Amino acid sequence: MDNILRVESLRKNFGGVVALDGLTFEVQKGAIKSIIGPNGAGKTTLFNIISGMYRPSSGGVWFLGESITGSPPYVTAKRGISRTFQNLQLFANMTVRENVMVGRHCRTKTGFLRSALRLPGAAKEEKRTAAEAMDILRFVGLEESAQRGASTLPFGKQRVVEMARALATDPKLLLLDEPASGLNLRETEEIGRLIQKIRDTGKTIIVVEHDMSLVMAISEEVLVLDHGRRIAEGPPRSIQKHPEVLRVYLGEEIPHAQSPES
Amino acid sequence: MGKKNLFGLASLVVVLLVVPHLLGNPYYLGVLVWCGIYGLVCMGLSLFMGYCGQISLGHAGFCALGAYISGILTTRFGFSPWPALGVAMLASLLVAFVVGLPTLRLKGHYLAMATLGFGMIIFVAAGGDPFGLTGGPSGFWGIPKLSVFGVVLDSEVKWYYFVWAVVLVCLVALLNIVHSRVGRALRSIHGGEPAAKAMGVHTARYKTQTFLLSAALGSLAGSFYAHYVGFVNPHPFGLNFSIHLLTMVVVGGMTNLWGAIAGTALLTILTRYFRVFMDWGVFFDGFILVIIMLVFPEGLFVGAARRLGGFVSRKRSTGVPGQASRQAAGGG
Amino acid sequence: MELSTILQYAFAGIKIGSIYAMVALGFNIIYNTTGIINLAQGEFVMLGGMFTVTLAKLMPLGLAFPIAVLAVAIVGCLFERAAIWPARRSSVITLIMITIGGSFLLKGAAMQVWGKNSFPLRPFSSEKPINILGAWVQPQVFWIIGVLAVVMILLTLFFRFTLTGKAMRACAANRAAATLSGISVDRMVLLSFALSAGIGAIAGIVITPVTLVDYGCGSMYALKGFAAAVLGGLGVSAGAVVGGLTIGLMECFGAALPFQGASSYKDGFALLILFVFLCAKPSGILGRAAISELKKF
Amino acid sequence: MKRICIGMTALVLTAMLVVTGCKKEKEEELALAPYKVGAVFAVTGPASWLGEPEKNTAEMIAKQINDAGGINGHPLELIVEDTTGEETATVNAMKKLVDKDGVCAVIGPSRSGTSMAIINIAEDKKVPLVSCAAAAAIVVPVKKWVFKVPQMDSDCVRRIYDYMKEKGWTKAAIITGTTGFGAAGRDQLIKLAKEYNMEIVADETYGPKDTDMTVQLTKIKAANAQALINWSIVPGQSTVIKNARQLGLTIPLFQSHGFGNIEYVKAAGAAAEGVLFPAGALLGPEGLPDDDPQKKLLLQYKNDYETKYSDAVSTFGGHAYDALTLVVKALKAVGDDRAKIRDHIENTTGFVGTAGVFNYSPQDHCGLDKTAFVMYTVKAGKFVPVEE
């Protein structure tokens, strides 16, 4: 069995609005899979359900063969699913390194009492966490900015910090919610390279993205959603010519780099 | 916990040791005893508010629990002070757990109202005296003095050293917590709850634990109050006190434990001083509060520290403008 | 319980509840434009009463009423310009602290001006109680209910049909978007302070004839009004009325509970219900969950 | 903008420092060291209408004494501290007076709760305290260093019950405020009811900030009482009267001696007509017989106070008068030794004050009994002694 994630007949309604409508798909281990679709197609809702922020109305999610349907986020994080956010959610009250160190939270275990007394184990773990955070920052190329306040960085770098933070949880599956939104052409290319570099370390990545050039450049597979339903799935080239996809997009707007924020 | 904090602790110890020799008068030490007692509550509140990003308008209730349980057990049931203090703290923890479990799901002003309601319920219960133990609105007196290692705390000087020793111990423990995995987790909740959750922080549990910790400190301060004053009635534990605690924490700078201590000391001393102005005292209280918050929106200590350059990069964004967070949340 | 007794309690509850509702309306208006709870709101109520007591000695009540409301609205504007506006970029908690400071300031100032005694105000019409199905009701109670209704209707019309009202609602819904569409958020905040100070003053004026007014009476109104606003759902006008009346009625029926000393627990009783209710429905009776998420301290 | 703010703050703070600094310097230098007496009153806060007349009175007397050359040549230095009606602030204020200022005696506080809070300090530090609060618990049981000048609430209750008994009323409804004063009064009302064979048919309370007592009074109305007794010191007692009359409650209405401020009558308006309450003779000294020992003193105090502060005299100011005069008498006799002052006060007899003629003893630190009360009623908006 080489799928890492399986989503089956997933439904989610908010009051009367149906955000996901019986969605089923799989993600292969080690792949980069992109999910595209017009605004309101249910992409972010899907992420929220996989990562445990929302509970689905019905249907289920299986991760590495085990059901994680409705597991709270602290459980899914520990199991190996991490994510970034469409609108940046960095901890503005911390430095870059501290942000990344929070990512190590689910892999460490010092509690109130042990930290209050600063037992030797706690101090050691703290030191290790700091070192690991630096390793990750080095990997994404941000070690220079480690001590800066997270919100003082330029926007493009903040996106990278968010990825580094997600990486710090040591995920098997990484969910990236519009990693290129708000970035310029050069930054988008850089982020694309970074995503591939992360994949090359053996991680599986799902990207929700509006920027088609990025999607086409990095994904092995693309899933197209509309109104919470799958309308197409396959390699990027075949998706581009898929009649249903063209209809959905032409009916709204042509997807393009720098698609406006939802 | 970093050089700055060690330096801070060292300076605090020096100041604490020097002060009694500079102030020839026990009265001033008495004021500092109050600073210490309030400081205990405010540290816990700072952890809960500034680090965890929650709000409580009900901590006077925990102080009341500590004071009343200590007082009732020692005067009516023959407990000696220390076991009574322990029972008070356990009871406060239990109450905090029962109250915290449902309320900590609430956010913002709703949480403020729920905690306020809790505090008022304790206040009303103390005044209504349902079990004939609290003495109703008149309260009761005759609470014995506390003794530490055989030394009876019967003077301002002894109380001063004792309370501040306790404050120091708690401060060190809390600073340790703050500069650890737990402290980061708490700050991540303040920074953004969804992201904290996604990083695997069990936000609900951390909020509850912090609430419990701050309740225990409140109860401790309350017990000290009872033994220090020797008399307990509901009046000092009303909503005004909760608001006063909140003010001390915010004025000092709630995102920093040192701020909580600084704010407590400043306001306790200032309000004492303002009593000199009699009728104008209330006015000055308000005036100073408004001016401080206008000049140092993120609190005196944090604001001053930033201006001195020490915290520039770290703390730049702790006082993220309400507008910014609102836009982020509103637009998303 | 007999019908007349129940009615008697209900009238007491509605009377005091209407005042809480008006205070809560004031809270909501400022909350909607700024996201803060203005804890000086109770002082506006007190000032309304105080100004009217003073003015009523010089002129007929009908004239004193609007002048007092206007005066308090001006105080609200001054307060906003002097203390809130300079801190408009600060966090919510800082702004709330400023309103606490403001409430001390206004209280202290009122103490200087009017001293420490309580003042009465004559009722708007006759003082003779009316008997309704066995319950005795002061005519002033009908004034209170009537004024609340009028305030509510005018506010609804204002928010629904005037350009300014719509602009204020836009600020509430999305500040950034409102700014982009050319609405001066600053001006809307100023206006919201004027409006809510005015409504607070109206509450103070109509309640003073049945109670009294002294410089320190504002904090109680602020507390109860806050409870009412939260119970009803912050930011929702109808919620303020529902919340206010509910709390007023709960207090009165709580005090009437048939056990010894029930009246000592009435405030606790109302708050306990509120507490339990919030735990069950975290956004209040008519509130929307999403809004409660927005405000960070 | 910020610079201006900082500047302003600094300016104001310096100004305040200078002002307080001057205050201290201003004391005139007399040959002998001043006698220091402390006073703790609720000058601000919710009980400020109690503390204000007390402070005014104490300051007025101190000035009169100093103008007349002081006490045996020593000027009287009165140091007033504001308690804001809060227990913690009172504890601080008391400690400041005792430790920092080194006063030889303390008068006040205004409220029963704050008085109870500092009894410990007076006892521990051995400082005579003359409380201006009413609750009997302050001096029963007797505390060595604590005295009080207002009439006991228990005696006030006795006075009311005597009156009721005379009229043949045996069913009383009581409504009390949830403050130290109200609660202490409620205790006495219930305790003494047995002794007088009174039946308490309704027992209700209200908070110090309540603005409506209709519910409690409706319950009382249903209880068929023959008289209603209200016990509180908050402005709420005016509301009780108004609400009671609006509900058509026509039974006689008694108030405690905390009603001794004409402002309450004004606040209650026409509804206050006929309200009965016991209080010291201060409220209507004109009516006293000329040979009454108190008459001259009462008239003079009333006149002095009302001309100086253009405000109606109240019994609360009278308590401060009694307390300070008592201490001054002791100072005159034995100097400023704390223990000697205490002993002197304890042995004071026949001291004529505004609240009555005081006779202290080691068993009685209040010095007054129920004869110190005159039953008043309200007629045409004025306090009038009841003809008996």
Side-chain angles (χ1 to χ4, degrees):
Chain A
M1 188 179 73
D2 56 357
N3 75 55
I4 186 165
L5 185 82
R6 188 157 56 86
V7 169
E8 216 169 274
S9 358
L10 206 58
R11 275 186 66 90
K12 175 76 188 174
N13 9 326
F14 296 101
V17 185
V18 179
L20 289 176
D21 189 6
L23 182 65
T24 302
F25 70 92
E26 288 181 0
V27 181
Q28 304 305 308
K29 212 173 255 178
I32 296 179
K33 181 159 193 154
S34 292
I35 300 178
I36 63 169
N39 287 333
K43 304 176 301 266
T44 300
T45 306
L46 176 65
F47 269 19
N48 280 334
I49 290 179
I50 297 174
S51 59
M53 302 274 182
Y54 295 165
R55 220 165 223 294
S57 306
S58 68
V61 183
W62 282 263
F63 178 64
L64 291 168
E66 284 175 60
S67 170
I68 54 163
T69 319
S71 297
Y74 63 91
V75 172
T76 55
K78 184 131 192 173
R79 289 208 177 178
I81 300 178
S82 192
R83 67 171 293 184
T84 64
F85 292 85
Q86 176 188 346
N87 43 356
L88 274 176
Q89 295 262 8
L90 279 183
F91 306 124
N93 52 348
M94 297 188 206
T95 63
V96 169
R97 195 181 68 170
E98 284 173 323
N99 263 279
V100 179
M101 282 168 85
V102 173
R104 293 303 297 163
H105 185 88
C106 59
R107 303 289 164 220
T108 45
K109 55 178 191 299
T110 311
F112 268 92
L113 199 60
R114 296 211 308 156
S115 58
L117 301 175
R118 206 159 191 80
L119 297 176
K124 215 155 94 191
E125 189 181 84
E126 182 73 9
K127 214 171 251 174
R128 202 175 60 231
T129 308
E132 283 163 347
M134 282 313 288
D135 289 344
I136 292 164
L137 283 174
R138 216 164 287 129
F139 176 79
V140 299
L142 274 179
E143 71 267 37
E144 304 288 319
S145 316
Q147 297 302 337
R148 289 182 59 179
S151 56
T152 63
L153 291 185
F155 189 76
K157 291 213 168 146
Q158 293 196 22
R159 284 243 175 253
V160 179
V161 175
E162 215 180 32
M163 273 193 189
R165 187 179 67 185
L167 267 184
T169 67
D170 213 358
K172 299 187 179 75
L173 175 65
L174 189 57
L175 312 176
L176 303 177
D177 199 346
E178 300 199 23
S181 100
L183 301 190
N184 62 30
L185 211 58
R186 195 176 50 79
E187 289 170 330
T188 305
E189 278 170 18
E190 275 172 22
I191 219 107
R193 274 197 295 277
L194 180 59
I195 294 172
Q196 282 174 318
K197 189 174 160 192
I198 294 170
R199 192 265 313 269
D200 293 342
T201 63
K203 306 203 184 296
T204 311
I205 297 171
I206 307 181
V207 185
V208 161
E209 187 49 70
H210 279 292
D211 185 330
M212 279 308 167
S213 60
L214 180 67
V215 170
M216 293 303 151
I218 62 172
S219 0
E220 268 95 42
E221 240 194 348
V222 179
L223 170 68
V224 190
L225 295 187
D226 186 35
H227 290 102
R229 275 187 302 268
R230 177 177 70 174
I231 55 171
E233 192 173 5
R237 306 236 163 273
S238 72
I239 288 297
Q240 267 179 318
K241 302 188 191 84
H242 199 287
E244 189 71 358
V245 178
L246 290 175
R247 190 190 61 77
V248 165
Y249 274 101
L250 288 176
E252 268 201 1
E253 55 180 283
I254 310 276
H256 198 263
Q258 310 299 322
S259 160
E261 266 274 44
S262 58
Chain B
M1 72 178 84
K3 276 186 194 129
K4 270 182 212 125
N5 285 313
L6 284 176
F7 176 73
L9 281 172
S11 338
L12 181 61
V13 170
V14 171
V15 170
L16 286 174
L17 288 176
V18 170
V19 158
H21 302 284
L22 293 181
L23 303 176
N25 199 300
Y27 163 68
Y28 294 117
L29 287 182
V31 174
L32 292 178
V33 171
W34 284 113
C35 293
I37 292 179
Y38 292 155
L40 282 174
V41 203
C42 288
M43 279 193 293
L45 212 49
S46 160
L47 203 66
F48 186 62
M49 289 172 56
Y51 289 88
C52 210
Q54 308 301 304
I55 188 161
S56 168
L57 280 174
H59 265 57
F62 293 116
C63 298
L65 279 175
Y68 266 100
I69 297 177
S70 266
I72 289 171
L73 289 182
T74 47
T75 53
R76 293 177 201 242
F77 295 96
F79 275 59
S80 30
W82 283 103
L85 187 145
V87 174
M89 203 182 272
L90 283 179
S92 301
L93 283 173
L94 187 71
V95 171
F97 186 70
V98 173
V99 170
L101 226 45
T103 39
L104 291 176
R105 294 187 304 131
L106 302 176
K107 307 231 190 281
H109 296 300
Y110 291 88
L111 179 62
M113 186 66 229
T115 47
L116 187 157
F118 157 74
M120 286 296 286
I121 288 168
I122 298 280
F123 175 77
V124 169
D129 196 10
F131 307 111
L133 290 171
T134 67
S138 318
F140 60 94
W141 71 297
I143 300 163
K145 295 194 167 60
L146 201 60
S147 57
V148 188
F149 302 118
V151 180
V152 180
L153 301 178
D154 55 2
S155 71
E156 308 297 335
V157 186
K158 287 176 191 162
W159 264 104
Y160 168 81
Y161 284 114
F162 169 69
V163 164
W164 278 97
V166 175
V167 171
L168 272 178
V169 169
C170 293
L171 182 61
V172 170
L174 291 185
L175 281 172
N176 277 336
I177 289 179
V178 163
H179 296 273
S180 76
R181 168 179 181 266
V182 178
R184 269 193 309 278
L186 297 184
R187 280 194 287 153
S188 76
I189 299 174
H190 194 183
E193 206 165 330
K197 280 182 175 165
M199 293 306 110
V201 177
H202 194 335
T203 51
R205 180 184 292 164
Y206 276 104
K207 281 195 235 172
T208 313
Q209 285 177 332
T210 316
F211 190 59
L212 289 179
L213 183 63
S214 65
L217 285 169
S219 164
L220 184 68
S223 296
F224 286 174
Y225 173 99
H227 291 295
Y228 182 55
V229 177
F231 167 82
V232 179
N233 67 342
H235 199 243
F237 302 105
L239 177 62
N240 280 347
F241 184 47
S242 280
I243 290 181
H244 191 60
L245 289 172
L246 191 75
T247 313
M248 293 195 281
V249 173
V250 176
V251 160
M254 65 174 184
T255 54
N256 193 304
L257 281 172
W258 292 101
I261 303 265
T264 309
L266 181 86
L267 283 197
T268 310
I269 295 167
L270 265 192
T271 35
R272 258 324 286 139
Y273 178 72
F274 281 167
R275 294 283 77 81
V276 173
F277 299 99
M278 300 283 170
D279 286 1
W280 285 100
V282 188
F283 188 83
F284 282 134
D285 281 344
F287 182 75
I288 286 295
L289 183 55
V290 170
I291 293 293
I292 290 177
M293 290 329 284
L294 285 182
V295 181
F296 299 102
E298 64 293 62
L300 262 184
F301 183 82
V302 176
R306 172 196 292 182
R307 249 159 248 197
L308 293 172
F311 285 71
V312 175
S313 58
R314 276 178 55 100
K315 297 292 175 190
R316 161 101 333 147
S317 40
T318 39
V320 176
Q323 269 90 338
S325 59
R326 205 161 22 244
Q327 279 166 11
Chain C
M1 232 188 273
E2 293 165 40
L3 176 70
S4 63
T5 319
I6 293 175
L7 265 180
Q8 190 75 64
Y9 296 159
F11 273 113
I14 291 172
K15 172 177 84 179
I16 195 73
S18 301
I19 297 303
Y20 298 164
M22 271 188 260
V23 181
L25 280 174
F27 272 125
N28 280 341
I29 292 168
I30 292 179
Y31 176 81
N32 277 340
T33 51
T34 62
I36 63 172
I37 283 291
N38 169 35
L39 290 171
Q41 187 68 27
E43 269 59 40
F44 294 148
V45 179
M46 177 268 292
L47 285 177
M50 285 294 198
F51 276 123
T52 316
V53 167
T54 309
L55 290 171
K57 286 176 188 146
L58 311 170
M59 56 185 80
L61 202 57
L63 197 57
F65 192 132
I67 296 180
V69 172
L70 198 67
V72 178
I74 291 171
V75 171
C77 288
L78 290 176
F79 176 55
E80 196 276 337
R81 278 297 115 152
I84 302 293
W85 185 78
R88 63 198 175 285
R89 298 198 196 290
S90 304
S91 64
V92 170
I93 188 86
T94 304
L95 285 164
I96 292 178
M97 280 301 138
I98 291 176
T99 66
I100 292 179
S103 84
F104 289 163
L105 266 175
L106 292 175
K107 203 183 287 186
M111 185 165 78
Q112 293 301 327
V113 176
W114 286 285
K116 295 162 190 172
N117 281 321
S118 306
F119 301 100
L121 181 65
R122 62 173 182 278
F124 294 4
S125 48
S126 145
E127 211 165 340
K128 222 177 162 67
I130 304 166
N131 192 331
I132 297 177
L133 300 174
W136 292 97
V137 187
Q138 303 141 267
Q140 186 68 21
V141 173
F142 297 108
W143 279 102
I144 294 173
I145 300 170
V147 166
L148 172 66
V150 169
V151 165
M152 191 61 201
I153 291 167
L154 287 181
L155 266 187
T156 314
L157 292 178
F158 172 73
F159 282 126
R160 210 133 305 146
F161 296 113
T162 67
L163 201 58
T164 327
K166 284 180 190 165
M168 278 176 80
R169 279 201 299 159
C171 285
N174 188 333
R175 209 183 165 94
T179 316
L180 287 178
S181 47
I183 297 170
S184 162
V185 174
D186 270 4
R187 196 172 303 160
M188 292 304 133
V189 172
L190 182 65
L191 187 63
S192 73
F193 268 83
L195 205 55
S196 92
I199 292 175
I202 293 175
I205 298 168
V206 293
I207 192 71
T208 305
V210 291
T211 60
L212 300 165
V213 59
D214 65 274
Y215 77 92
C217 69
S219 51
M220 189 273 296
Y221 292 118
L223 167 65
K224 299 291 171 63
F226 180 35
V230 168
L231 179 62
L234 275 174
V236 189
S237 295
V241 176
V242 174
L245 292 178
T246 313
I247 291 195
L249 287 170
M250 279 193 305
E251 278 180 6
C252 287
F253 282 97
L257 285 179
F259 66 87
Q260 178 61 47
S263 42
S264 323
Y265 299 105
K266 70 182 170 60
D267 284 4
F269 179 74
L271 285 168
L272 189 68
I273 303 262
L274 168 64
F275 185 87
V276 171
F277 184 85
L278 277 185
C279 295
K281 188 169 185 303
S283 50
I285 298 176
L286 297 174
R288 283 154 296 166
I291 286 191
S292 68
E293 306 255 342
L294 301 188
K295 313 303 176 209
K296 269 204 313 201
F297 289 105
Chain D
M1 177 65 208
K2 287 201 169 165
R3 246 162 238 272
I4 299 173
C5 282
I6 299 173
M8 264 171 59
T9 323
L11 208 71
V12 171
L13 280 173
T14 347
M16 293 192 299
L17 280 169
V18 171
V19 169
T20 41
C22 289
K23 239 185 205 164
K24 298 239 165 68
E25 313 260 314
K26 218 170 56 187
E27 300 298 335
E28 294 133 62
E29 286 187 23
L30 282 173
L32 295 166
Y35 285 157
K36 288 181 178 175
V37 173
V40 276
F41 296 134
V43 182
T44 61
S48 53
W49 43 271
L50 275 177
E52 173 136 300
E54 289 169 346
K55 172 176 161 268
N56 287 345
T57 302
E59 282 175 348
M60 181 179 85
I61 299 172
K63 189 165 181 303
Q64 285 171 359
I65 288 172
N66 286 334
D67 288 348
I71 307 165
N72 300 338
H74 296 267
L76 173 67
E77 187 182 341
L78 181 77
I79 306 167
V80 183
E81 286 288 318
D82 181 9
T83 68
T84 69
E86 290 279 346
E87 281 73 11
T88 41
T90 313
V91 167
N92 270 326
M94 177 73 176
K95 286 182 176 167
K96 173 182 173 283
L97 290 173
V98 175
D99 289 332
K100 179 162 170 271
D101 301 323
V103 297
C104 60
V106 176
I107 61 172
S110 322
R111 293 184 49 244
S112 302
T114 45
S115 300
M116 296 300 288
I118 58 171
I119 285 176
N120 266 5
I121 306 173
E123 294 285 294
D124 282 354
K125 305 203 185 241
K126 302 190 175 10
V127 183
L129 173 71
V130 186
S131 168
C132 293
I138 297 168
V139 291
V140 180
V142 170
K143 284 117 199 145
K144 191 172 175 206
W145 294 87
V146 182
F147 301 87
K148 78 185 204 67
V149 282
Q151 305 88 341
M152 297 250 219
D153 46 9
S154 53
D155 287 333
C156 184
V157 172
R158 283 174 201 282
R159 192 69 186 77
I160 292 175
Y161 281 168
D162 280 341
Y163 188 89
M164 284 177 65
K165 222 171 165 182
E166 216 170 279
K167 298 272 177 190
W169 301 329
T170 54
K171 283 187 190 166
I174 63 174
I175 179 164
T176 55
T178 53
T179 57
F181 179 82
R186 177 171 171 267
D187 288 347
Q188 299 295 346
L189 283 166
I190 292 171
K191 206 171 87 188
L192 292 171
K194 283 193 197 94
E195 196 182 313
Y196 282 82
N197 287 323
M198 287 286 163
E199 191 191 347
I200 307 271
V201 291
D203 171 14
E204 296 292 327
T205 61
Y206 57 90
K209 288 193 171 174
D210 282 5
T211 51
D212 183 90
M213 291 82 179
T214 313
V215 176
Q216 291 94 320
L217 291 165
T218 307
K219 286 167 95 177
I220 286 172
K221 196 180 170 190
N224 286 322
Q226 288 165 312
L228 171 62
I229 306 168
N230 172 59
W231 210 278
S232 76
I233 43 169
V234 289
Q237 51 191 335
S238 308
T239 316
V240 169
I241 303 173
K242 282 167 95 174
N243 285 168
R245 296 305 181 222
Q246 279 149 5
L247 285 174
L249 202 61
T250 47
I251 54 176
L253 213 160
F254 288 94
Q255 294 276 359
S256 71
H257 49 327
F259 194 64
N261 184 337
I262 198 75
E263 292 294 331
Y264 294 145
V265 177
K266 283 189 205 151
E273 288 298 300
V275 166
L276 293 155
F277 72 103
L282 177 61
L283 294 177
E286 296 85 357
L288 290 173
D290 282 339
D291 60 344
D292 189 284
Q294 280 181 281
K295 184 166 186 178
K296 187 167 154 258
L297 171 140
L298 290 175
L299 283 171
Q300 185 181 351
Y301 166 58
K302 191 172 181 213
N303 183 41
D304 286 353
Y305 188 91
E306 289 181 351
T307 39
K308 178 150 189 193
Y309 296 107
S310 52
D311 190 13
V313 77
S314 70
T315 49
F316 315 119
H319 298 324
Y321 180 99
D322 295 346
L324 188 56
T325 316
L326 192 62
V327 171
V328 167
K329 276 195 187 311
L331 282 169
K332 205 172 263 170
V334 295
D336 65 351
D337 182 86
R338 287 173 180 173
K340 282 186 191 154
I341 292 175
R342 190 210 83 86
D343 295 343
H344 189 271
I345 293 177
E346 191 169 73
N347 294 315
T348 302
T349 52
F351 162 59
V352 181
T354 63
V357 180
F358 292 80
N359 291 302
Y360 287 100
S361 73
Q363 291 78 41
D364 179 9
H365 279 195
C366 175
L368 294 173
D369 58 23
K370 64 181 175 181
T371 57
F373 282 110
V374 177
M375 188 63 88
Y376 285 93
T377 186
V378 178
K379 220 175 237 172
K382 290 211 163 56
F383 293 134
V384 185
V386 176
E387 312 283 338
E388 283 176 81

